[in-house]
Amino acid sequence: MDRNRTTNNTPPVFPERMTERYRSLVPDPQALTEALLQPPRRSFRVNHLKTDPATARARIEAYGCRLVPVPWYDDAFIIDRYPADSPRPEPLVLEQVLGHIHMQELASMLPPLAIRSELTTAERVLDACAAPGSKTTLMAALMANKGTIIANDKQFGRVRALKFNLERQGVLNTLITNHDLRKWPPDQLFPLILLDAPCSSEGTIRKNPHLLARWKETLYEGHSSLQQQLLLRAFDLLTPGGLLLYATCSLAPEENEGVVDILLRRRPQASLEPIHVDRITFSPGIAEFESARYDPRVTACARVWPHVHDTDGFFMARIRKS
Amino acid sequence: MTICPEHIRQRVVGYLRERFALDPSPWEPWQFYRASRGRVHLGPILTIDTPRPDVAGCLIARVERTVKPSTALFQLFGRHVQREIIDLDRHETQRYFTGESITIHPARIADCRPGFVMLRYEQLPLACGLLRERGLIENQLPRSSWCQIDLL
């Protein structure tokens, strides 16, 4: 077993309909299913609010860990190998406990990076579905703890994890709210919003193989309906000229391009912008899936495929309000 | 959560200055908030009224009969602390994070007065501890932070 990958004991079996869907999504569906069966790589990012990459890297390598830099993000590393005499397969590192580093799947670092230039000058940001806070804390680091992030999550139980992560990482520029975004006061507008919407999490099968056993195509319908409501509401909370980043960790077009398509139909002020993160190339959004035909502009969205990037699957759309 | 009354803010700032020689300038840009059970948070300027924020920034102290600095405060601003610092070794650090109280040789705490202290390991601010008589450091970590650190 490759030591840089976590293990799981669930026998992975892809439902036939799932693989059939993948045949409509990618030219090489077998590569996708094989990548989804690979346990995830362990990765972390350095928290600039507490330390710097050179210091963190030197300390962790001194423990005997072998680190591999991530080509598209200088603050991120893959733990290729832990010391052979580690007492546990995934030993706990002091720097984790002190919040100097944050263990985070690489793809989930991308949404804040996709709005990086806006974050560096942002005074007010809404993180609409913030818990457990991996993206919130990265946004706070990119903002150098300046400005204000309203970190909202509807689920009270998840807010606890959010608080814990913010405190551990020394995030001061955050106000936590526990509110249903769909009922957010219409007069509270934001120039920048991140909506990392609740989803089927299909892109995280590598980490959560149990999702395969629970998979049903009807799952997408329920998620899609909620995502549409959240996206429309989030868009309405943008100031004119404001920017909304919509993201999910789903591979399903129903939860991604399909949701963005509804927004484009219902909100003529909405337009899509290309997504750029240095040194990484994204796959375009999908305009046709089985019998569905979406607004062709959805090709400006970005897809992160597990078999292309060796990460979880992710979807992002940069939406501007005119 | 409400804006912290000025007299409580002054009490926290005064205590940290007197005991730890901690200059208040690092937190001047921030707002002090008061939450339940005497908790004082340091966070951004309040920019929304509704929905009412539940939590702002980080817990920095608890103010009841005395002021108790938080572990988050030391981990964030510990490099500015100038006194009441105790350096732990590797084994002591591991034990402290499992929730144990530890006893260290009195010679190592000659400069410290009984009361809250900042614990450090290899120059890294770790946590708040409560120094008692005869070198006993009572563990102040919240139970949710107890863990077994393997690599340090």
Side-chain angles (χ1 to χ4, degrees):
Chain A
M1 186 73 197
D2 186 348
R3 273 185 66 91
N4 75 333
R5 292 173 185 273
T6 51
T7 58
N8 63 72
N9 299 320
T10 311
V13 179
F14 276 89
E16 178 50 36
R17 174 63 186 138
M18 205 170 178
T19 46
E20 192 182 314
R21 286 170 57 89
Y22 291 161
R23 280 195 282 275
S24 308
L25 281 175
V26 289
D28 190 357
Q30 195 180 341
L32 174 59
T33 51
E34 282 172 6
L36 284 170
L37 294 177
Q38 284 286 322
R41 296 183 292 177
R42 297 187 191 96
S43 51
F44 69 84
R45 65 174 167 79
V46 176
N47 176 17
H48 270 274
L49 301 179
K50 289 198 166 178
T51 189
D52 60 86
T55 305
R57 181 179 188 176
R59 286 191 64 92
I60 293 167
E61 286 184 332
Y63 302 147
C65 298
R66 191 166 68 193
L67 303 184
V68 178
V70 173
W72 45 264
Y73 188 28
D74 295 337
D75 294 352
F77 296 90
I78 294 157
I79 304 179
D80 188 47
R81 193 185 64 200
Y82 282 113
D85 58 352
S86 294
R88 289 187 274 184
E90 289 186 59
L92 186 61
V93 177
L94 175 66
E95 280 66 20
Q96 270 174 267
V97 176
L98 299 181
H100 292 200
I101 65 168
H102 181 65
M103 300 302 290
Q104 185 172 0
E105 212 288 323
L106 292 173
S108 96
M109 300 177 197
L110 288 166
L113 296 178
I115 52 173
R116 185 178 197 159
S117 63
E118 287 81 6
L119 283 171
T120 51
T121 55
E123 290 186 358
R124 219 163 100 98
V125 183
L126 173 65
D127 187 354
C129 302
S134 288
K135 295 173 195 73
T136 320
T137 50
L138 177 50
M139 289 202 296
L142 294 171
M143 294 166 76
N145 242 346
K146 297 195 172 84
T148 304
I149 300 173
I150 311 298
N152 178 66
D153 207 281
K154 187 192 165 199
Q155 291 186 44
F156 182 73
R158 285 165 57 89
V159 168
R160 200 171 169 180
L162 174 64
K163 276 163 60 177
F164 181 84
N165 277 322
L166 294 177
E167 204 143 279
R168 175 178 266 191
Q169 293 186 52
V171 173
L172 291 174
N173 68 339
T174 303
L175 299 168
I176 296 180
T177 55
N178 177 210
H179 203 74
D180 187 338
L181 181 71
R182 294 169 295 181
K183 296 173 186 165
W184 196 274
D187 58 336
Q188 296 281 348
L189 303 182
F190 296 86
L192 186 57
I193 298 177
L194 170 64
L195 173 61
D196 181 23
C199 68
S200 65
S201 306
E202 186 184 352
T204 69
I205 284 172
R206 290 150 52 110
K207 188 172 60 194
N208 306 304
H210 65 275
L211 291 171
L212 280 175
R214 290 205 319 233
W215 186 87
K216 282 185 206 157
E217 199 165 16
T218 51
L219 275 178
Y220 300 133
E221 279 172 38
H223 285 299
S224 175
S225 165
L226 174 63
Q227 288 153 352
Q228 288 168 28
Q229 294 171 48
L230 293 174
L231 183 58
L232 288 165
R233 188 80 191 114
F235 183 80
D236 293 341
L237 294 174
L238 275 181
T239 52
L243 180 69
L244 164 63
L245 192 96
Y246 174 73
T248 75
C249 55
S250 170
L251 305 175
E254 295 94 326
E255 299 186 79
N256 297 323
E257 290 88 348
V259 176
V260 174
D261 175 77
I262 296 283
L263 176 79
L264 294 172
R265 286 169 200 263
R266 298 200 190 159
R267 298 289 187 272
Q269 320 93 299
S271 60
L272 292 174
E273 294 183 350
I275 295 182
H276 178 75
V277 175
D278 282 347
R279 290 167 281 159
I280 184 169
T281 307
F282 299 114
S283 302
I286 291 164
E288 293 181 18
F289 173 66
E290 298 188 331
S291 61
R293 300 285 175 273
Y294 304 124
D295 187 314
R297 288 177 290 172
V298 299
T299 53
C301 301
R303 277 180 165 265
V304 179
W305 292 106
H307 61 298
V308 176
H309 299 98
D310 197 6
T311 62
D312 280 351
F314 234 84
F315 172 88
M316 295 180 286
R318 255 178 81 105
I319 301 160
R320 183 74 67 179
K321 187 178 197 173
S322 62
Chain B
M1 194 199 66
T2 54
I3 305 285
C4 191
E6 183 57 20
H7 71 279
I8 294 180
R9 194 187 80 85
Q10 288 296 342
R11 202 174 151 202
V12 173
V13 169
Y15 169 82
L16 295 173
R17 185 193 283 131
E18 186 280 320
R19 183 160 179 88
F20 298 98
L22 194 46
D23 186 79
S25 57
W27 44 72
E28 264 163 15
W30 307 101
Q31 177 82 58
F32 279 61
Y33 293 92
R34 184 170 63 172
S36 58
R37 290 184 287 160
R39 287 175 297 189
V40 174
H41 285 244
L42 196 61
I45 305 297
L46 196 62
T47 52
I48 57 167
D49 295 328
T50 50
R52 188 93 197 139
D54 292 342
V55 182
C58 284
L59 172 73
I60 58 157
R62 247 178 138 132
V63 180
E64 289 168 324
R65 206 161 41 81
T66 58
V67 177
K68 176 192 178 299
S70 75
T71 281
L73 171 90
F74 287 137
Q75 289 186 357
L76 201 52
F77 297 107
R79 64 186 183 279
H80 302 292
V81 169
Q82 295 177 51
R83 57 176 178 246
E84 314 301 350
I85 300 169
I86 298 177
D87 285 299
L88 302 184
D89 65 21
R90 185 176 186 277
H91 184 54
E92 289 161 349
T93 301
Q94 280 182 309
R95 283 177 52 209
Y96 196 80
F97 273 94
T98 61
E100 277 186 57
S101 294
I102 53 178
T103 303
I104 62 175
H105 195 280
R108 289 170 54 197
I109 52 164
D111 296 338
C112 295
R113 296 168 286 172
F116 292 113
V117 292
M118 183 179 86
L119 303 176
R120 205 166 60 170
Y121 172 69
E122 291 186 345
Q123 299 299 315
L124 298 177
L126 294 177
C128 175
L130 178 57
L131 179 63
R132 299 286 196 189
E133 299 299 326
R134 292 186 291 278
L136 172 68
I137 303 170
E138 257 181 36
N139 201 299
Q140 300 294 305
L141 287 174
R143 190 173 287 262
S144 59
S145 297
W146 293 1
C147 58
Q148 177 66 52
I149 301 175
D150 301 305
L151 301 178
L152 70 166

